[in-house]
Amino acid sequence: QAPVAVPVARLAGVTRERFLRDIYPRRKPVVLKGMELGACTAKWTVDYLSQAEGSKAVKIHVSAVPQMDFLSKNFVYRTLPFDVFVRRAAEVKHKEYFLSEDEKYYLRSVGEDARKDIADIRKQFPILAEDVQIPEYFEKEQFFSSIFRISSAGLQLWTHYDVMDNFLIQVTGKKRVVLYSPRDAPYLYLSGTKSEVLDVDNPDLEKYPLFVKAKRYQCFLEAGDVLFIPALWFHNVISEEFGVALNVFWKHLPADSYDKSDTYGNKDPTAASRAIQILDRALKTLEELPDEYRDFYARRMVLRIQEKAYRNDYV
């Protein structure tokens, strides 16, 4: 039995002005319906995708199980011609495969040099980019990346957060997205930006007892839906059908707040990274004290952090 979920609000006909005035400042996820996305929602069939971008090589994730885990790396990276990959990802059973006949495929586009270049559909998939009208609800100089994604039916991606705001544009197929507020981070058993809890529908509560305290939000995306995911909101994405999506990330903090070496949009802001390093040094210093003293001063530090840095108006 999946935990009870709070439905994410669904709004139709939202103009840029209304989004920026009424929705954006609330910092909560919302599904935007009826957006003008261009020809992609009608055109992007398996045949069209295969022909449009042809046999250019793409690096993909391949997993023998539906739940991909970035922490244990239960998948392999393989390279296929794009047209071959699209056809395979659309199949349920494969005549040709790497691991098993029902293996799952996932493409997350990257820049020309993934370590230096950001993903931008206009550069990596220029023909397909002509079919897409990205909602311009932010200033052009705030644009960070546009990530082209293709997923096999049944694929579930690990729960994680990003440090930038983004739109998840569902072009074809259906997805279920489970989200958690940044405030519930203490219950998500984090390792970096990712949660250790893979199966959010049937979590192992012996291993993750605090997970029940995390308030679950959920939405179902159909072709043409756009999900606004505010920065720091955790999300777990399940592809209910073979589908194609596009993520658009933008910088809502001053540009110098972000790590300049970050091409994926998931490195913590530089000030946060510095603060965590300072905290680690402080904790190391506490180790010089006997247990009783270390416990006492650690609790005082926690109270001080809560007093100085926690928000009182968090809903």
Side-chain angles (χ1 to χ4, degrees):
Q1 181 86 31
V4 175
V6 177
V8 172
R10 306 173 72 83
L11 300 171
V14 175
T15 62
R16 182 180 195 268
E17 291 71 29
R18 185 184 168 202
F19 177 78
L20 293 174
R21 185 188 68 229
D22 300 336
I23 298 166
Y24 195 55
R26 294 184 65 225
R27 311 301 298 157
K28 283 199 165 185
V30 64
V31 178
L32 305 172
K33 299 192 67 66
M35 304 280 275
E36 182 50 64
L37 300 175
C40 55
T41 48
K43 280 173 80 172
W44 284 7
T45 62
V46 171
D47 286 343
Y48 175 77
L49 291 168
S50 303
Q51 289 161 13
E53 294 289 351
S55 59
K56 70 187 320 163
V58 287
K59 190 177 180 183
I60 55 171
H61 303 64
V62 184
S63 174
V65 294
Q67 286 171 332
M68 277 195 185
D69 179 6
F70 199 81
L71 295 174
S72 72
K73 298 284 196 294
N74 67 346
F75 53 83
V76 295
Y77 291 106
R78 292 291 183 265
T79 301
L80 281 175
F82 181 75
D83 51 356
V84 174
F85 156 69
V86 170
R87 294 191 181 284
R88 278 214 213 169
E91 299 169 345
V92 176
K93 295 273 188 218
H94 314 294
K95 288 195 176 72
E96 293 180 54
Y97 50 84
F98 297 107
L99 304 173
S100 64
E101 65 174 9
D102 56 356
E103 65 193 14
K104 304 295 183 190
Y105 297 92
Y106 171 54
L107 167 69
R108 183 239 190 253
S109 66
V110 294
E112 284 69 25
D113 180 338
R115 289 165 300 180
K116 296 179 186 172
D117 303 320
I118 56 140
D120 185 342
I121 190 173
R122 294 168 297 188
K123 293 178 183 172
Q124 287 93 44
F125 298 91
I127 296 167
L128 295 178
E130 291 177 12
D131 299 334
V132 185
Q133 187 176 319
I134 291 172
E136 292 188 359
Y137 282 27
F138 48 91
E139 300 300 325
K140 277 192 166 50
E141 61 270 18
Q142 290 178 276
F143 171 84
F144 176 71
S145 63
S146 52
I147 299 162
F148 184 60
R149 300 183 191 269
I150 296 182
S151 305
S152 292
L155 181 78
Q156 182 169 13
L157 293 178
W158 53 90
T159 304
H160 68 283
Y161 71 87
D162 301 294
V163 301
M164 296 183 197
D165 291 338
N166 85 87
F167 282 144
L168 171 54
I169 301 166
Q170 191 64 25
V171 181
T172 71
K174 292 180 182 177
K175 278 196 174 87
R176 174 167 65 102
V177 186
V178 175
L179 304 109
Y180 300 95
S181 161
R183 200 170 192 191
D184 283 343
Y187 315 130
L188 297 179
Y189 297 87
L190 298 185
S191 177
T193 61
K194 299 157 190 75
S195 169
E196 292 178 16
V197 186
L198 271 193
D199 191 342
V200 294
D201 295 321
N202 297 288
D204 181 343
L205 295 180
E206 283 190 15
K207 196 173 180 183
Y208 308 115
L210 295 177
F211 187 69
V212 291
K213 294 188 175 187
K215 186 176 180 181
R216 173 191 179 110
Y217 294 78
Q218 183 169 278
C219 63
F220 294 88
L221 301 181
E222 299 184 350
D225 288 349
V226 177
L227 172 61
F228 168 53
I229 306 176
L232 308 183
W233 272 76
F234 296 87
H235 44 288
N236 180 288
V237 181
I238 303 102
S239 294
E240 300 205 320
E241 300 173 344
F242 164 78
V244 184
L246 185 67
N247 269 110
V248 183
F249 288 87
W250 67 92
K251 300 175 182 180
H252 67 291
L253 302 178
D256 60 1
S257 303
Y258 300 100
D259 186 324
K260 288 185 172 51
S261 68
D262 185 10
T263 57
Y264 284 85
N266 59 8
K267 286 189 180 178
D268 291 316
T270 49
S273 298
R274 285 202 313 276
I276 289 166
Q277 288 170 355
I278 293 165
L279 176 61
D280 286 342
R281 286 202 296 274
L283 293 170
K284 189 76 179 163
T285 306
L286 281 185
E287 289 176 13
E288 297 171 19
L289 294 168
D291 283 358
E292 185 181 349
Y293 284 78
R294 187 167 72 231
D295 180 275
F296 173 71
Y297 286 104
R299 289 174 192 274
R300 284 191 60 189
M301 286 166 68
V302 169
L303 288 171
R304 193 152 179 180
I305 289 171
Q306 288 176 335
E307 180 189 327
K308 297 283 187 185
Y310 277 28
R311 283 176 57 178
N312 297 320
D313 61 341
Y314 223 137
V315 181

